[in-house]
Amino acid sequence: MIFRLPLVLAVSLLFCFRARAADHLSNPLADSPNWKALAKFQKTITHDEFEQLLRRVYCPHGISEEFIRVDPDAACILLDRDAQSWFTLRFATAGRTRQAPPLGWRAAHALPRRKKAGLLSGLKIALDPGHIGGAWAKMEERWFKSGDAAPVEEGEMTLKVAKLLAEKLRELGARVSFVRAKTEPVTPFRPDDFREAARAMLKASGTENPPEEFKAPDDPLKEQTVRWQSEILFYRTSEIRERARRVNSKLRPDLVLCLHFNAEAWGDERNPTLTDVNHLHLLVNGSYSSSEIEFDDERFEMLQRLLSRSYDEEIQIADAAAVAMAKKTGLPPYQYTTDNATKVGTSGYVYSRNLVATRLYRCPVVYFEPYVMNSSDVFARIQAGDYEGMRAINGVERPSIYREYADGVVDGLVEYYKTNR
Ligand SMILES: [Zn+2]
């Protein structure tokens, strides 16, 4: 399930956070862009490849020449809007002068030849079970409970899938690491560390003297309280940024799989709405809005992704995984009704969207969103827990939802690496 942008944060984004005098950053915890890091991508991409990725994947809604201008020989990228300084990225001419982009990860075709150790031998996969779960599930708004049934907690469920998945991937020879391995935050910070930042954000959005606390989860004014904003800065902004640091500097995988379960709005967490709607979709990074491109950090991170050519690899893995998961689950594709996501690839299940995790992890990232947790069918399967073999659920013989999820992901990876390694 994906975080929606809270109202106050959306408003406050109109006011920029400034780390250095000249930086226009998207949030108080964002890193200043290290523009020098783009130098290594000189002459690694042709004009046509750059144009294609920019206009089809990353900025399908258009890109203003105030920020990125594409000339025949080079792309000019705005560094500093006040000083009007620009970075010139020279294109490769097809063939001769082209240099390989320097990467910290390996595509399927660059892996050492397959040994007896298994189809995925040597492949470094990091599993990122979405959310934190445990004692934090209610704060994250990833918890609901219907009557006497066991509570549904996405952060626990994603970890369960990750553990089953790790076992299967290791049997195939993969080197598997966990971005989060328990129901505890990866970030060392806690909500109280962000009270000042929360106050500043609320002030920037026009709330002069925000209330400190809210009474209950259904308090209509909770988004304007210091507590709610500081909790979001903790479990979302700070947590995902810490996970990115871990992925980029410690784990350094060839591929990250972000594991989530989806949901439809459930209303009251203690009297949730159950629905018949159920669906599946997968996400890769892309589809930036023009206001996101205006932020120096997001523009830089977008270019870093584009130039590292993660898309070429992740879209193929996502398509293969989507086909395999659709076959295992029988779920129809989710259809976005908003323009923050753009359908990409060939399966009909994959969208590009600018999520923090898919943007910050510096390698191919595939983000899974199967199953609507509050659909009657999925809810019954969650209540049945994890088990081996098949069981009748609502009159249909089914495997455990966790094993079905893990098996679908494995089938997709096997299909992709069998063909492309
Ligand atoms: Zn989620």
Side-chain angles (χ1 to χ4, degrees):
M1 191 182 174
I2 299 163
F3 298 116
R4 83 203 139 80
L5 198 63
L7 183 71
V8 172
L9 186 58
V11 174
S12 66
L13 291 180
L14 300 174
F15 304 81
C16 285
F17 297 94
R18 285 162 168 257
R20 293 187 304 224
D23 286 333
H24 296 256
L25 302 180
S26 60
N27 74 78
L29 307 186
D31 294 321
S32 291
N34 173 20
W35 292 109
K36 283 185 197 142
L38 295 188
K40 63 175 185 255
F41 294 109
Q42 292 289 7
K43 294 195 174 180
T44 60
I45 190 166
T46 65
H47 168 274
D48 291 3
E49 289 165 340
F50 186 87
E51 275 269 296
Q52 262 246 340
L53 284 170
L54 185 69
R55 306 211 189 270
R56 207 167 43 86
V57 180
Y58 291 97
C59 302
H61 310 297
I63 170 85
S64 164
E65 294 205 336
E66 283 175 54
F67 299 101
I68 299 174
R69 196 183 72 238
V70 184
D71 293 340
D73 301 330
C76 299
I77 295 147
L78 179 73
L79 305 185
D80 183 330
R81 121 176 43 170
D82 302 324
Q84 277 299 305
S85 54
W86 295 72
F87 173 78
T88 305
L89 178 86
R90 291 188 303 283
F91 292 136
T93 41
R96 273 185 312 127
T97 61
R98 189 203 190 100
Q99 292 169 16
L103 302 174
W105 52 272
R106 297 161 304 166
H109 65 79
L111 289 169
R113 276 178 79 85
R114 213 201 306 173
K115 298 174 213 132
K116 285 201 181 107
L119 174 64
L120 304 182
S121 64
L123 179 70
K124 289 168 72 181
I125 303 178
L127 301 179
D128 182 16
H131 313 288
I132 305 169
W136 311 93
K138 284 186 197 169
M139 182 191 289
E140 300 179 286
E141 300 177 355
R142 292 298 178 276
W143 182 99
F144 67 81
K145 181 168 160 48
S146 184
D148 293 334
V152 174
E153 302 182 19
E154 189 185 350
E156 310 248 14
M157 293 166 58
T158 57
L159 188 55
K160 225 177 246 185
V161 173
K163 286 179 178 167
L164 289 165
L165 187 53
E167 213 174 294
K168 289 169 190 290
L169 294 173
R170 282 175 183 144
E171 277 168 22
L172 290 164
R175 289 157 63 191
V176 181
S177 59
F178 283 73
V179 183
R180 163 176 80 88
K182 46 190 184 197
T183 51
E184 286 296 330
V186 173
T187 174
F189 299 105
R190 292 297 177 265
D192 278 349
D193 296 318
F194 300 112
R195 286 203 163 245
E196 269 317 306
R199 253 178 234 114
M201 281 170 60
L202 285 159
K203 196 176 172 193
S205 68
T207 310
E208 266 304 326
N209 291 304
E212 291 291 315
E213 300 291 328
F214 61 92
K215 289 181 202 85
D218 61 350
D219 184 340
L221 294 175
K222 74 174 175 186
E223 295 188 9
Q224 270 113 60
T225 64
V226 172
R227 179 170 141 208
W228 197 76
Q229 292 291 340
S230 59
E231 286 176 352
I232 288 189
L233 283 169
F234 153 68
Y235 68 72
R236 184 180 311 174
T237 318
S238 161
E239 175 67 13
I240 298 177
R241 285 183 179 272
E242 195 56 39
R243 289 187 195 193
R245 267 186 278 280
R246 199 162 176 189
V247 167
N248 296 336
S249 51
K250 255 179 92 181
L251 306 179
R252 304 171 75 86
D254 299 310
L255 172 67
V256 177
L257 305 176
C258 298
L259 307 170
H260 288 254
F261 283 80
N262 212 340
E264 295 281 325
W266 61 61
D268 182 351
E269 62 181 13
R270 290 194 175 269
N271 185 22
T273 308
L274 295 185
T275 168
D276 288 332
V277 178
N278 201 1
H279 43 66
L280 157 72
H281 76 289
L282 281 71
L283 294 157
V284 295
N285 185 255
S287 208
Y288 288 64
S289 70
S290 50
S291 55
E292 287 167 342
I293 291 295
E294 287 183 29
F295 292 121
D296 296 342
D297 54 321
E298 297 206 30
R299 187 167 65 258
F300 167 73
E301 286 151 6
M302 184 272 280
L303 281 158
Q304 203 166 37
R305 279 206 86 71
L306 185 156
L307 294 170
S308 72
R309 316 301 270 281
S310 303
Y311 177 79
D312 302 345
E313 184 77 0
E314 66 199 4
I315 185 58
Q316 294 186 68
I317 298 171
D319 262 335
V323 169
M325 288 199 79
K327 198 169 156 195
K328 273 267 182 272
T329 63
L331 292 174
Y334 174 62
Q335 305 294 344
Y336 273 85
T337 51
T338 48
D339 67 358
N340 58 344
T342 307
K343 206 169 253 192
V344 287
T346 54
S347 64
Y349 285 87
V350 184
Y351 288 85
S352 67
R353 184 173 167 183
N354 178 21
L355 299 176
V356 187
T358 59
R359 186 174 76 242
L360 294 183
Y361 298 168
R362 276 185 234 124
C363 64
V365 183
V366 179
Y367 194 105
F368 293 81
E369 281 285 3
Y371 306 111
V372 170
M373 292 182 290
N374 58 325
S375 78
S376 317
D377 202 33
V378 172
F379 181 75
R381 296 182 72 184
I382 295 168
Q383 293 304 316
D386 181 35
Y387 51 87
E388 283 181 43
M390 306 289 270
R391 265 191 213 173
I393 305 212
N394 286 347
V396 184
E397 287 290 318
R398 297 277 211 174
S400 118
I401 195 166
Y402 305 103
R403 282 162 205 250
E404 183 178 271
Y405 191 152
D407 285 345
V409 176
V410 170
D411 286 358
L413 293 186
V414 165
E415 183 57 35
Y416 176 70
Y417 286 96
K418 200 172 66 190
T419 327
N420 292 282
R421 182 156 192 181

